[in-house]
Amino acid sequence: SIIDGKIATIDRKKPEGESIHRVSWFPDSKSFVYDSMSTFDRYYYFSDIWRYDIEAKKKKRLTKGLRAREPMVSPDGKRIVFVQSTPGSTRLAMAKSDGSQDRVLYTPPLQTRIASPDFLPDGRIIFSERRDDGVEVLRTISIEKGAEPQTVLREFAPAHFPRVTKQGLIFTSEKSGVSNIYLASADLQQARALTNTLTQATAGDIDPITGDLIFSRLDSDGPAIYTVKKPDLDHSATPPKIEPLIAYDWPKFEKPKVEFASEESDYSALGYLFPRYWMPWITFAPDGVSIQASTSASDPLGKHAYAIAAGYDAWIQRPNYIAEYTNHQTHVPILIYGQDVNEFVYNENVINDTGIRHTTAAGAIASFFIPGLGEEFRGGIGWKYNQIDVEEFIDDRPLVVRQGPTASIGWADLSQRGLEISPEDGGTASIAHTRFLKDYGSLTYEQTDVSLSKYLSGFVLPERHVVAAYANASIAPNLQDPLLGKTTTSTSYSLSLVQTAFPMRGYLSGTFIGNNVVTGTLEYRFPIAYNYRGFGTAPFFLRRIHAALFGDGISLDGLVYERELGRYRPEKLGRVYFGTGGELKFDVTAFYFVPLTISAGLYYGTDPKANPDGLLPFIGFGL
């Protein structure tokens, strides 16, 4: 919102959504409509129209599965016009204010984009239309059945963002070679410029109370909101004529004649599932170098999806592999995962020697919505298999196999967008219970895993500053050997499709291991600078700098490795070990198109016996 020409922060409790294109108020200003991507029929993800009531502070879905976006409320508040996405095109549609009785007003040819519909004073609809020749024009259509659209203000093409105001129709035109705001005559035959920027002006509106023009303009520092006072609007602006940097003598465009023929064939997802990229990540952690890379893919219909991560730990000189596949062909998606992970563990039998815990695991989990609960909740039922080669780090010990049924419930209400360096509200919660059966493995016991996260902003915190809290627990009281339980890593690695260890910064990997483990983190995240500048012609563009201060804690039934003794020491739940420190992150674009995050940190474990080294440095590079 804008007050006195300045941006005012909207209450964070107002409704949020994904891929919002437009907001339109009802005449009484007590509610508004907006479009948002959200789950439809629980298993599909569509854009629909929502209405938010200011007084009740509640939102209501008006359309269901229409792929509707860019809504606009009629002046009398009885109708809503919107754009509907269709295969290979868009179309213009309208519904009553409650979302009922929706009908299509206009279906253009394929490869046509309709945008920004609005109601003219005479009841017609004005909108922008871009066809396959690349030129965008303004068109009008009446709401009667069978009406055909008419092109207006043709000489001002390319034209975009039509908006009906009390002063008349304003729109954006690139007639002069650069985008500026124009005010059309009442008969939609002529128009005069209201701005004369040399960069780009878009998405304008006129304040119904003050009469000031409000619009977005591109500056050297990025897009910004500008106002033009009402008295200045009485005088026509003269946008500068900007010719192309290089003059091309293009031939006159003539739409090619193409004989269209269609052929039906069975759908196959296989061609879409080959890996097309690898996202690298390299970390220089206190206990060595780790190199990782990940990839993922899915087919256009969302029937199949997978993710793969692979890494190499230079400290133990072993590779790690993790993969998961999700089948969405039924209403109950099936997740299948597998992993082959090598973890550093101190050898309890040989002083100053180390071992490697080699774990091979697999599982299948069916995920489903829970009746009576919201769409943020999901349940899961499945089977887990886990095999540890104990002989790798404890001599003369057999292979340990564990497997059994598992059940879980999870909740997630989390998003991050725009200039946010972190999610700023919401959180996640999950609990899973697994029973390992003696008939199917070496051991029988029960294990409960809990994971929580919460993000807070606002209150007394400056803008974009966030307090993040995390808690994790793995409880297996009947597991007799703590060396088969959860362990810790020295930092947060990206190889985490399936969680294998808890991060505990300030201590080397493998320092803590146990059957009952509880960890917690409190982190304060804040931006330092939004730079968005390059360095001459160097292929390096700095977007922003942000940092975090944190405190980690852990308590466990298990073992703690004391470096001075050179061996593990038993520990009981109740005593808490702390780690603290800070991280500095640079978000950059390297080589003109590669998004890269450079991280640097200093960690400190407060227990001198478990961490006699003091400050531990960390550097990471990743996409």
Side-chain angles (χ1 to χ4, degrees):
S1 61
I2 297 179
I3 302 175
D4 296 332
K6 298 181 179 179
I7 297 178
T9 302
I10 298 176
D11 184 356
R12 294 291 298 179
K13 298 300 181 181
K14 294 294 187 290
E16 295 185 358
E18 296 184 32
S19 301
I20 295 177
H21 293 85
R22 202 178 204 183
V23 173
S24 178
W25 289 87
F26 279 87
D28 60 6
S29 297
K30 294 181 179 180
S31 60
F32 59 84
V33 296
Y34 63 100
D35 57 337
S36 175
M37 294 288 294
S38 57
T39 305
F40 167 68
D41 194 23
R42 290 188 178 265
Y43 294 96
Y44 305 100
Y45 201 59
F46 289 161
S47 175
D48 273 309
I49 308 300
W50 297 72
R51 180 171 180 169
Y52 185 80
D53 189 299
I54 300 295
E55 295 178 352
K57 296 184 178 180
K58 292 183 178 180
K59 63 179 182 180
K60 178 183 179 182
R61 192 180 202 138
L62 300 184
T63 64
K64 297 180 179 180
L66 292 186
R67 295 184 173 93
R69 56 184 174 87
E70 298 186 72
M72 178 58 67
V73 179
S74 63
D76 59 9
K78 296 181 179 180
R79 293 165 293 178
I80 301 173
V81 65
F82 56 90
V83 176
Q84 189 175 15
S85 297
T86 60
S89 189
T90 56
R91 62 190 184 189
L92 191 66
M94 188 172 65
K96 299 183 82 172
S97 60
D98 60 359
S100 65
Q101 298 184 15
D102 56 274
R103 63 186 179 92
V104 176
L105 295 178
Y106 169 53
T107 301
L110 287 173
Q111 303 300 317
T112 301
R113 187 195 70 192
I114 290 175
S116 307
D118 203 349
F119 287 88
L120 290 168
D122 60 9
R124 291 180 298 164
I125 308 295
I126 186 167
F127 58 94
S128 65
E129 178 178 298
R130 179 171 179 168
R131 294 198 175 185
D132 53 7
D133 60 3
V135 179
E136 190 164 357
V137 297
L138 300 182
R139 309 196 78 188
T140 64
I141 189 173
S142 63
I143 63 175
E144 285 76 22
K145 188 175 182 180
E148 291 294 328
Q150 304 294 323
T151 302
V152 297
L153 299 163
R154 188 184 297 272
E155 64 179 281
F156 291 89
H160 331 272
F161 304 111
R163 179 72 175 102
V164 178
T165 71
K166 287 187 175 181
Q167 280 69 35
L169 174 73
I170 64 172
F171 63 96
T172 303
S173 172
E174 298 173 28
K175 178 183 178 181
S176 67
V178 64
S179 180
N180 272 287
I181 308 294
Y182 288 76
L183 174 65
S185 60
D187 58 4
L188 302 183
Q189 297 297 317
Q190 294 295 325
R192 61 183 180 88
L194 300 181
T195 64
N196 59 353
T197 179
L198 285 168
T199 54
Q200 183 187 61
T202 58
D205 202 351
I206 292 182
D207 191 313
I209 298 176
T210 65
D212 298 341
L213 172 66
I214 305 169
F215 65 98
S216 174
R217 194 179 90 177
L218 182 64
D219 284 348
S220 60
D221 294 327
I225 300 296
Y226 277 79
T227 61
V228 177
K229 296 299 182 181
K230 180 181 178 180
D232 297 328
L233 298 179
D234 296 333
H235 307 284
S236 296
T238 305
K241 185 67 175 178
I242 307 297
E243 299 292 344
L245 182 62
I246 301 176
Y248 290 100
D249 186 16
W250 294 107
K252 182 180 178 181
F253 174 79
E254 293 184 4
K255 190 173 181 179
K257 295 180 180 180
V258 179
E259 293 184 4
F260 179 77
S262 62
E263 180 181 350
E264 292 187 3
S265 61
D266 293 335
Y267 175 76
S268 175
L270 184 61
Y272 301 100
L273 298 180
F274 293 105
R276 288 175 168 81
Y277 70 90
W278 285 93
M279 304 283 282
W281 180 262
I282 180 170
T283 57
F284 298 88
D287 40 25
V289 179
S290 175
I291 302 173
Q292 302 173 17
S294 63
T295 187
S296 62
S298 63
D299 65 297
L301 297 184
K303 300 294 185 182
H304 307 272
Y306 71 85
I308 301 173
Y312 182 79
D313 192 329
W315 190 21
I316 59 177
Q317 299 181 0
R318 293 291 183 90
N320 295 307
Y321 308 100
I322 295 177
E324 63 178 31
Y325 162 75
T326 303
N327 187 305
H328 284 275
Q329 292 182 298
T330 65
H331 266 20
V332 179
I334 306 296
L335 170 68
I336 301 173
Y337 69 88
Q339 65 181 42
D340 190 84
V341 177
N342 293 280
E343 299 169 291
F344 175 85
V345 177
Y346 289 96
N347 192 311
E348 66 170 354
N349 298 326
V350 182
I351 295 178
N352 293 326
D353 199 3
T354 59
I356 297 170
R357 190 170 72 170
H358 180 203
T359 302
T360 302
I365 299 175
S367 177
F368 53 87
F369 288 99
I370 303 173
L373 297 180
E375 295 179 352
E376 299 85 3
F377 290 86
R378 296 295 291 263
I381 297 177
W383 188 272
K384 286 186 176 181
Y385 172 86
N386 182 289
Q387 170 187 299
I388 294 183
D389 188 357
V390 183
E391 195 173 8
E392 290 275 351
F393 65 103
I394 303 177
D395 294 337
D396 301 325
R397 293 284 295 273
L399 198 70
V400 176
V401 176
R402 296 170 289 182
Q403 61 177 318
T406 183
S408 63
I409 182 174
W411 169 85
D413 183 15
L414 204 61
S415 64
Q416 181 179 342
R417 61 182 66 86
L419 297 177
E420 296 176 351
I421 62 171
S422 162
E424 295 188 0
D425 58 7
T428 62
S430 67
I431 180 170
H433 185 77
T434 305
R435 181 175 178 82
F436 296 106
L437 303 175
K438 180 71 172 180
D439 294 340
Y440 296 93
S442 308
L443 301 173
T444 179
Y445 66 95
E446 297 183 8
Q447 178 176 312
T448 302
D449 296 289
V450 180
S451 178
L452 304 170
S453 70
K454 180 62 179 177
Y455 300 86
L456 298 172
S457 61
F459 304 105
V460 297
L461 295 178
E463 188 176 15
R464 303 276 88 92
H465 288 230
V466 181
V467 173
Y470 306 92
N472 294 285
S474 182
I475 306 299
N478 296 324
L479 178 60
Q480 299 300 315
D481 192 342
L483 286 171
L484 301 178
K486 284 281 187 178
T487 185
T488 59
T489 62
S490 61
T491 188
S492 298
Y493 293 103
S494 62
L495 190 70
S496 58
L497 297 178
V498 181
Q499 189 179 42
T500 58
F502 294 144
M504 186 61 195
R505 292 166 289 188
Y507 301 89
L508 300 184
S509 297
T511 298
F512 305 94
I513 187 169
N515 53 316
N516 300 320
V517 181
V518 179
T519 68
T521 294
L522 189 64
E523 195 161 304
Y524 180 64
R525 302 174 177 176
F526 55 94
I528 296 177
Y530 290 91
N531 196 71
Y532 293 100
R533 291 185 181 275
F535 301 89
T537 58
F540 192 83
F541 184 88
L542 177 60
R543 301 197 307 274
R544 60 189 181 187
I545 307 172
H546 50 104
L549 303 175
F550 70 88
D552 290 343
I554 186 172
S555 184
L556 73 159
D557 280 331
L559 303 171
V560 178
Y561 191 83
E562 292 192 356
R563 303 273 296 283
E564 292 180 353
L565 297 177
R567 67 180 65 229
Y568 278 113
R569 176 183 58 79
E571 186 59 86
K572 292 292 185 181
L573 275 173
R575 179 177 177 180
V576 180
Y577 293 82
F578 292 100
T580 187
E583 294 178 341
L584 185 64
K585 296 185 178 182
F586 301 83
D587 295 334
V588 305
T589 300
F591 306 108
Y592 304 110
F593 66 91
V594 180
L596 182 67
T597 297
I598 303 173
S599 305
L602 281 177
Y603 305 155
Y604 177 72
T606 59
D607 188 279
K609 294 181 179 180
N611 173 39
D613 298 325
L615 287 175
L616 301 176
F618 164 79
I619 299 177
F621 301 87
L623 296 182

